[in-house]
Amino acid sequence: MVMPAGASPILLLLVLLLCWVAPSRQEPAPVQLRLAGPRGPAGEGRLEVLYQGRWGTVCDDGFDFHAATVACRQLGYAAAITWTHSATYGQGEGPIWLDNVRCGGSEGSLAECVHNGWGTSDCHHGEDAGVVCSGQRLPGGPPQTTTSGHLGKVPGLSLEEVRLKPILARAKLSMPVMEGAVEVKHNGHWRQVCDAGWTRNNSRVICGMLGFPQEKHVNTSFYRKLWNMKLKDPSSSLKTLSQKNSFWVHRVRCQGTEPHLARCPTQVAPPAPHQHACPHGMHAIVSCLPGPAFQKGTGKGRSKTSPGKVSPSMVLPVRLRAGTHAGEGRVEVLRHGQWGTVCDKQWDLAAASVVCRQLGYGTAKQALVGAQMGQGLGPIHMSELRCTGHERSLGECHFQDAEQSGCRHEADAAVRCHVPHMDFQSQVRLAGGRSPEEGVVEVLVPVQGQLQWGAVCGAQWGLNEAMVVCRQLGLGFASHALQETWYWAGSPDATRVVMSGVRCAGTELALQQCQRHGPVHCPSGGGRFSAGVTCTAHAPDLVMNAQLVQETAYLEDRPLGLLYCAHEERCLSRSADHMHWPYGHRRLLRFSSQIHNLGRADFRPRMGRHAWTWHQCHRHFHSIEVFTHYDLLTLNGSKVAEGHKASFCLEDTNCPEGLQRRFACANFGEQGVSVGCWDTYRHDIDCQWIDITDVPPGSYTFQVVVNPKHEVAESDFSNNVMRCQCKYDGQRVWMHGCHTSDAYGADVVSDLEQQDRLANNLV
């Protein structure tokens, strides 16, 4: 630097000082990170960034495992297990500082990754990203990068993915891949794991990560012969590769209870500098046992695994509810004959993994807290679960009864499980829609020995079938099932109808698993009569409060003079048509009904207000013409009396504390039931009854079906049926044993489906 003559020494000193302190344009701004959101295990939460003195969030657009690895390392954890999207840990506040973050995985700070620029984002807080980090948080300064050591104890060690490389021909043809050599992705490169010191516990953890509940014995001596043959083969590069330490992960030591390999002590390189990583060994071989839903020849998505030799009192049946994808949902257990939820106090990956394995999945990816999969109904059975990870059922874990812990349904626990990769997504697609979530359904099926894309016949296509398609595509639930697709043009290479007569239970993992015609039979010919769907990430779920029905049921002999409007709306049995009006009366079995929305989206009528039906006599609109069916059945299932209820006023009668009522019928208001709220129809409202005037005394089954025609899509239809035992002596009625059908869901739903098929000549 040349200063002009006469420049003062002070000025010179000032210029030098400014040059020294001015930061480089390439140097990223210093930032701090933290994890926020509902209480949960350490090392997971919504990712927040402190920039210019303000905390803000990170958008999930472009966010991936590499970015999660950098964030976890910056937070002082050993590695990342996974990352989350769509505000899994709740929506943050303030600015969204980072969007479209792209990391290589080796950066020392999230600020060093490529992104749109600080505060430049087109996201909203519903897209806030989160991370799940592994290992204990390390005290002290920023972690140093290392290439060897014990994973979970040494910072900077990035274990990203695990896979099985099939060796045998039968394993290569298997889907999912269940047997092969273990490969681990470490710092962006795939390595094989040395089999020296390999144990069944290691295999158990690997299988859990790949979505399998159990490992099984494998004949390693056979694989050893294949390995030795390859080493001697001059055309194989195995001998050269296996001499390099970069080809190997030296040693893994798992206890078998870890939900992820990143939690196992692992040595990537041998302890001595010039020691060979696997001197006399070969690659570790693992064989996994799939859950029932993923075994060849099974078509149902719900799995029930045998708990093995465990005391029956310890085995608690478990299920998942309201999850968008297979292997996720709110955790519910069956105790004392009643389904109930689990409180999220001390809910962690170990307990969540017990649930996942019991259901036939692998270990848990995430243990979710704060009712992130919706709030349940009924009892909260368990709290403060402490599991080791070897249990076959939650009943074997230590836990507290939830009544003692003061839990509420706002703290219902949920889980996301590792699920096997089945490649189902590549066998179906949507075409012609306005967005990726809608369109004509096109499937890939064998036609005369060749795989071919084609359309699905729209005849008899319904919500159950559409649900399977949306799940198969990873798009959540079906909001609409279309039998005609006039406005959507299918793909030119898929005009032929290749599937017809499709009937799904709704729980299958792929449309190809559903029942269908052998030879295709589609009189409408496809084209504009091909099947279509609209998918949505979240859906409502209506459940009747069975206890209230049992407590409020009674008989009333009501004069005909008060029943003109009810008669007009067909709420009386047919014999009422032949009475001498207004003389006489009808005997009515009356009760109150309370219908809860336990889903993750509002329940709204399918039709807009312009299409609602006006009923002059009662002077109100019907937003859904048949909202509930009421039936009295003999013990062998024959119907002796029936009733129905239109939704003339679908509203939030009540909501839990902290939730605002949003739907009200007054002044022609919007109708619906908000998430977590409930709609109550009192016993003294017209049509809230079954007309039993012609029913003889005896023992019966009382049944209520909510949303019976599936006019509005729900995440789960198996809990829409409620049944009670009913005794009528001619003067009085006793109602007892009321329960929603999902405790016996498979039987009830199949019964209803059978009745529907008979009514439509489908059998």
Side-chain angles (χ1 to χ4, degrees), residues 460-527:
Q460 298 167 17
W461 183 259
L463 272 174
N464 277 353
E465 292 71 39
M467 283 284 184
V468 174
V469 169
C470 293
R471 183 184 301 116
Q472 187 174 352
L473 287 166
L475 296 174
F477 306 101
S479 55
H480 296 95
L482 294 94
Q483 296 184 349
E484 300 178 15
T485 47
W486 291 89
Y487 303 106
W488 295 339
S491 305
D493 65 336
T495 53
R496 179 179 175 182
V497 175
V498 296
M499 196 180 278
S500 66
V502 182
R503 296 289 291 182
C504 302
T507 58
E508 295 86 351
L509 298 169
L511 202 64
Q512 288 81 351
Q513 295 176 340
C514 300
Q515 297 176 11
R516 59 183 189 270
H517 288 154
V520 172
H521 175 67
C522 188
S524 60

Side-chain angles (χ1 to χ4, degrees), residues 338-357:
Q338 198 171 2
W339 286 101
T341 60
V342 174
C343 180
D344 65 11
K345 283 187 180 178
Q346 297 189 20
W347 180 247
D348 59 11
L349 283 171
S353 293
V354 172
V355 170
C356 291
R357 288 189 192 271

Side-chain angles (χ1 to χ4, degrees), residues 620-756:
H620 57 228
F621 285 93
H622 286 183
S623 55
I624 301 176
E625 197 57 42
V626 180
F627 179 51
T628 45
H629 268 165
Y630 307 141
D631 298 312
L632 200 63
L633 312 171
T634 62
L635 298 184
N636 66 6
S638 303
K639 191 183 295 186
V640 293
E642 65 181 359
H644 73 272
K645 186 70 181 172
S647 65
F648 69 85
C649 177
L650 202 61
E651 66 177 0
D652 297 330
T653 309
N654 289 102
C655 294
E657 186 180 341
L659 281 181
Q660 189 71 30
R661 291 176 58 200
R662 295 192 296 112
F663 296 109
C665 301
N667 303 318
F668 196 35
E670 288 292 345
Q671 293 195 23
V673 184
S674 301
V675 174
C677 299
W678 58 91
D679 184 19
T680 303
Y681 283 90
R682 286 171 48 89
H683 57 84
D684 52 2
I685 294 174
D686 258 10
C687 299
Q688 189 62 35
W689 62 58
I690 293 182
D691 182 354
I692 63 168
T693 307
D694 308 317
V695 174
S699 294
Y700 299 95
T701 298
F702 173 68
Q703 176 178 284
V704 178
V705 186
V706 182
N707 191 14
K709 296 183 178 179
H710 296 183
E711 278 193 49
V712 179
E714 298 184 45
S715 61
D716 182 10
F717 288 114
S718 70
N719 53 15
N720 285 35
V721 183
M722 188 223 67
R723 283 180 167 174
C724 303
Q725 296 175 53
C726 176
K727 184 172 177 59
Y728 173 50
D729 69 356
Q731 297 299 323
R732 292 167 297 177
V733 68
W734 292 268
M735 204 88 80
H736 60 100
C738 295
H739 59 271
T740 48
S741 62
D742 49 356
Y744 315 93
D747 298 333
V748 174
V749 172
S750 61
D751 288 349
L752 291 172
E753 188 176 276
Q754 185 71 10
Q755 291 170 18
D756 182 52

Side-chain angles (χ1 to χ4, degrees), residues 43 121 151 249 255 277 302 316 472 484 497:
S121 169
L151 193 61
V249 169
Q255 295 178 349
R302 289 181 185 169
L316 293 179
Q472 187 174 352
E484 300 178 15
V497 175

